Amino acid sequence: MTILSVGCGSKLPEPNLVRLDKSEKLAPDVLWDLNNFPYPFADSSFSAIECFDVIEHLDDIPKTMEEFHRILKTNGLVKITTPHFSCANSFVDPTHKYHLSYFSFDYFAEDHNFSYYSQVRYKIKRRYIHFQGSRFNRSIIRKLANKFPQEYEQRWAWIFPAWFLEFELIKL
């Protein structure tokens, strides 16, 4: 199983892990501008892709998801973390270009009304809203937000801000 770490940052080398980043100071395995497509990999090169706290910095999420789809093997897994739109960290960092929701990757799922924005399809295996702070936020609000995400994001997100989102998507 070969894993691609997109925007690997200071992640240390590991067997079967390819570290991709744009900063040579981080000494990645592959130095590459993450907004430059195609990535320097053959089709179906990876069993999994991890993209932790990176996607919100990129220029074009649909193109990025299409590129992930190209270099991922069928049934391969994409893991993404990103700040929730209600998190102050989402807006504090001036390099963030996107402020994402529990539903942001639905656009790449097979049954979404706006799936015509991209031809690639993923199955959403898991998505989760994480909270920090008080025990109340980490227990009660977390449970309610993940059970009723639409209601949470439409009515409660600015009262009880989330911390970050976690996604697991499977290439179809």
Side-chain angles (χ1 to χ4, degrees):
M1 181 167 152
T2 305
I3 300 168
L4 176 65
S5 181
V6 176
C8 63
S10 58
K11 186 171 188 122
L12 296 174
E14 297 175 21
N16 301 317
L17 177 74
V18 177
R19 299 171 306 130
L20 176 72
D21 208 298
K22 72 176 192 172
S23 175
E24 62 183 273
K25 290 180 181 180
L26 299 168
D29 301 316
V30 179
L31 183 64
W32 194 260
D33 178 350
L34 303 179
N35 292 309
N36 186 12
F37 304 107
Y39 288 177
F41 305 110
D43 294 358
S44 304
S45 296
F46 299 97
S47 303
I49 296 173
E50 57 182 40
C51 184
F52 300 146
D53 298 322
V54 173
I55 200 129
E56 66 275 9
H57 297 271
L58 302 179
D59 290 342
D60 191 328
I61 291 175
K63 282 186 180 178
T64 300
M65 296 304 292
E66 289 167 2
E67 186 61 7
F68 288 177
H69 198 273
R70 181 186 72 79
I71 62 176
L72 196 61
K73 294 177 181 177
T74 301
N75 296 318
L77 182 67
V78 178
K79 294 182 178 182
I80 297 171
T81 61
T82 185
H84 186 268
F85 70 79
S86 67
C87 180
N89 291 342
S90 188
F91 292 93
V92 169
D93 187 337
T95 66
H96 287 184
K97 297 177 182 178
Y98 297 95
H99 309 280
L100 301 172
S101 159
Y102 183 91
F103 301 100
S104 292
F105 293 98
D106 287 8
Y107 288 75
F108 306 100
E110 53 199 332
D111 298 329
H112 193 272
N113 289 341
F114 297 112
S115 62
Y116 52 80
Y117 283 115
S118 176
Q119 298 301 310
V120 301
R121 294 291 170 263
Y122 293 91
K123 177 183 176 193
I124 298 173
K125 178 181 177 185
R126 181 178 188 271
R127 55 185 160 187
Y128 201 80
I129 306 171
H130 291 268
F131 289 81
Q132 67 175 358
S134 72
R135 188 175 205 188
F136 180 71
N137 276 357
R138 291 189 328 267
S139 60
I140 296 169
I141 299 300
R142 172 184 51 87
K143 287 177 186 172
L144 290 171
N146 283 289
K147 186 172 183 176
F148 305 105
Q150 187 167 355
E151 290 80 4
Y152 166 74
E153 289 190 341
Q154 289 179 354
R155 294 180 179 87
W156 303 106
W158 299 114
I159 297 169
F160 301 104
W163 185 17
F164 71 97
L165 296 159
E166 179 181 3
F167 298 93
E168 291 183 4
L169 310 171
I170 297 173
K171 174 186 173 178
L172 298 178

